[in-house]
Amino acid sequence: MSDFTALPDLAVRSNRAAVVAASDESFEERENLIHPWEPKFSPETFGTKGQEYDGWETRRRRNEPGNDWAIIRLGMPGRIRGVVIDTAWFKGNYPPFASVQACRVSGYPTVAELDSAEWVEVVEKSPLTGDAKHEFPVDSDGVFTHVRLTMFPDGGIARLRILGSLTAAGENILTTRWS
């Protein structure tokens, strides 16, 4: 267990975080990325789109260019100390690679404003495996408000945890986990 995993999740839905945009939601909704509970799976759950998973899942795009992405507004600005990309229950349709970028934009920017923001890579393009938690320490002193998760090229990710310390006016105000 890495030291950063005990820090608060800046991207958890119960702390006002939101997935503000995604390139695709063909199979499972983007909001599943930031649920506070551990991912669940039941083999008996089939919907109109096939097997249901507790995560974000996009359509296959192996025969066309491009990658899938999701932009998450953090619950509060914070310093990112680590990222966990959890592919729980995705054993065949997980992305082979992913990366995470972060930016700081005040207020509630539009997707177009976020597109033109200055993004900083906090997790470089890294290999993923299925049904596993992938922990990535982050070495950055920046204070961020948004992150962009990119899958190369597509697949399913159960949860994205952005772990760090909350800030207010540039000062550290919380460094312990909450429920």
Side-chain angles (χ1 to χ4, degrees), residues 48-61:
T48 57
K49 298 177 182 179
Q51 176 69 56
E52 293 180 353
Y53 288 89
D54 185 10
W56 172 48
E57 186 178 14
T58 66
R59 67 183 170 87
R60 294 278 188 193
R61 51 186 312 128

Side-chain angles (χ1 to χ4, degrees), residues 27-45:
F27 292 104
E28 297 298 338
E29 297 177 359
R30 65 191 191 202
E31 287 293 325
N32 290 338
L33 281 171
I34 60 173
H35 286 311
W37 56 83
E38 287 295 313
K40 302 172 188 170
F41 176 75
S42 176
E44 299 84 28
T45 55

Side-chain angles (χ1 to χ4, degrees), residues 57-122:
E57 186 178 14
T58 66
R59 67 183 170 87
R60 294 278 188 193
R61 51 186 312 128
R62 304 273 194 255
N63 296 325
E64 61 185 73
N67 304 299
D68 286 321
W69 53 265
I71 297 175
I72 296 94
R73 182 187 71 239
L74 303 178
M76 292 180 69
R79 288 185 176 83
I80 300 171
R81 299 297 179 219
V83 172
V84 178
I85 300 173
D86 189 350
T87 58
W89 306 109
F90 289 100
K91 297 178 182 179
N93 189 24
Y94 60 89
F97 298 93
S99 69
V100 178
Q101 296 174 307
C103 72
R104 182 175 184 164
V105 180
S106 62
Y108 293 89
T110 66
V111 175
E113 290 170 326
L114 288 168
D115 280 342
S116 63
E118 185 177 331
W119 292 90
V120 175
E121 188 171 71
V122 294

